[in-house]
Amino acid sequence: MRYFLRKIGFFVGTLWAVVTLNFLIPRLQPGDPAELMVRRLQGKDSQLDAAQVEAMRSMLGAPDGSLWTQYWAYLADLLRGDFGVSYTYYPFSVAEVIGQAIWWTVGLVLVTQVISFVVGIVLGAYAAWRRNSKLDTVITLGSTFLGTLQPFWIALVLLYVFGYTLGWFPTSGGYSASIPGLNMFFVEEVLSHSTLPAVALLIVTPIGWILGMRNTMIMNLGEDYIRLAKAKGLPDRTVALRYAARNALLPSVTGFALALGSVLGGTILVETVFDYPGLGRLMGEAVQNKDYPLLQTLMLLTTTGVLIANLVADLLYGVLDPRARRAEG
């Protein structure tokens, strides 16, 4: 019980620190979002009118007062679920803006992470079982090389080759002029627009699973229980899957939970390249426009997702592996 209480207490303390930093970091950026909006409407070379800036600040609901007063108002708004109005998409609220974009990112990341996890675990386990073979060398060296590439660079190459040069896939957006709905035409539009962003992520994301699973399983293959299983005359398939791979899978469970929690972090640049209507593009627009309410909510959503995923992984790890509970007990 102490193990679980310690993990929950760590989650609560870290969440408070995240909320506080999430409040402070955007306010450390130079500039005034109200002035930025007025300049955008009037033109960059126009003379700023203090009355217009103040009116814009009141219209946007920009924070005023001391930093301490803003902090308590921010906490109160969070408890009420009020994240404010987006400066970029005024007069829509932050909740409405994120509500429209989150499913694009969740769908893209969920599919790519699940495929990457399955492919990575299978290839890593096979490479470990056939270690020092030609296939193991190809998988290891290929994974090491692909791991040096960045998803946004791959996205640019895919966009140029398959989008602009060959014209096989759309170059931007989540769908064309079709009206969103549960019909085959719209589904085909969504799939065609999400193919290149998904491929850009799929080329890189399995690498960690492949190398991690291979190294962990090779360590397990040297354990006494593996030698005992082989001495009993069990088939190689049984030894590989039920003994070596099963125990090597435990660390990957934690990594998979963390990967699902960080749905926003790995897609910001990829979504920006393809102008994909997800949370990553919103993050870039929020930073550019000093959209504090939208930026704070996106950062809070990302970090909270990682913390929750980490908590779930820790609790599951304690259930699946009693050694973890005894080690911290």
Side-chain angles (χ1 to χ4, degrees):
M1 195 63 185
R2 287 196 300 270
Y3 171 84
F4 296 108
L5 290 177
R6 187 179 295 113
K7 295 299 181 182
I8 294 174
F10 177 78
F11 167 78
V12 173
T14 309
L15 181 61
W16 172 80
V18 164
V19 169
T20 303
L21 288 175
N22 188 50
F23 167 79
L24 292 174
I25 290 176
R27 286 164 172 78
L28 297 178
Q29 294 183 355
D32 186 347
E35 292 182 2
L36 187 65
M37 290 289 290
V38 172
R39 287 189 183 279
R40 185 190 305 169
L41 294 175
Q42 292 184 346
K44 293 183 179 180
D45 299 329
S46 61
Q47 189 72 21
L48 279 178
D49 188 338
Q52 291 179 338
V53 173
E54 188 62 31
M56 179 64 71
R57 188 176 290 111
S58 300
M59 184 178 67
L60 294 176
D64 54 5
S66 65
L67 197 63
W68 186 251
T69 303
Q70 293 180 35
Y71 179 67
W72 284 109
Y74 168 71
L75 293 180
D77 290 339
L78 282 184
L79 293 177
R80 292 195 302 266
D82 181 9
F83 302 106
V85 177
S86 171
Y87 301 165
T88 307
Y89 294 92
Y90 183 85
F92 294 101
S93 67
V94 170
E96 292 176 305
V97 174
I98 293 180
Q100 293 179 358
I102 190 172
W103 300 112
W104 295 95
T105 297
V106 168
L108 177 65
V109 174
L110 185 63
V111 172
T112 55
Q113 287 292 350
V114 170
I115 295 176
S116 299
F117 181 76
V118 174
V119 171
I121 292 301
V122 171
L123 289 180
Y126 191 80
W129 185 250
R130 301 296 181 186
R131 61 190 182 280
N132 300 325
S133 64
K134 292 183 179 179
L135 183 59
D136 176 34
T137 302
V138 170
I139 292 176
T140 304
L141 292 180
S143 300
T144 304
F145 170 73
L146 292 177
T148 61
L149 305 178
Q150 294 297 321
F152 75 89
W153 183 84
I154 297 175
L156 290 172
V157 174
L158 293 175
L159 183 64
Y160 175 76
V161 175
F162 297 102
Y164 290 108
T165 304
L166 299 177
W168 291 356
F169 296 96
T171 58
S172 64
Y175 58 93
S176 299
S178 60
I179 300 176
L182 294 178
N183 55 77
M184 286 304 299
F185 181 73
F186 179 70
V187 172
E188 291 175 359
E189 285 284 305
V190 171
L191 291 177
S192 64
H193 281 77
S194 61
T195 298
L196 290 183
V199 172
L201 295 173
L202 282 173
I203 291 176
V204 178
T205 47
I207 306 305
W209 307 122
I210 294 174
L211 299 178
M213 184 65 180
R214 178 185 179 276
N215 295 336
T216 305
M217 187 167 170
I218 287 177
M219 292 176 57
N220 287 342
L221 287 173
E223 297 292 336
D224 293 337
Y225 67 90
I226 298 294
R227 300 192 188 95
L228 179 60
K230 291 181 179 179
K232 288 182 177 180
L234 296 177
D236 289 347
R237 180 184 180 89
T238 302
V239 176
L241 296 179
R242 296 189 59 184
Y243 288 83
R246 183 178 179 180
N247 289 322
L249 193 61
L250 281 175
S252 298
V253 172
T254 304
F256 183 65
L258 292 176
L260 288 180
S262 57
V263 294
L264 178 60
T267 63
I268 294 177
L269 295 177
V270 172
E271 289 187 359
T272 302
V273 169
F274 292 102
D275 196 27
Y276 194 73
L279 297 179
R281 189 179 71 175
L282 286 184
M283 176 71 83
E285 293 175 346
V287 172
Q288 183 179 5
N289 299 324
K290 301 186 187 303
D291 191 342
Y292 293 157
L294 182 58
L295 182 60
Q296 286 181 163
T297 307
L298 289 172
M299 292 172 62
L300 184 62
L301 182 66
T302 304
T303 51
T304 304
V306 173
L307 287 176
I308 293 176
N310 193 22
L311 175 65
V312 172
D314 284 341
L315 297 182
L316 284 177
Y317 203 82
V319 173
L320 296 175
D321 191 355
R323 293 174 299 179
R325 299 196 303 268
R326 289 196 295 266
E328 295 199 20

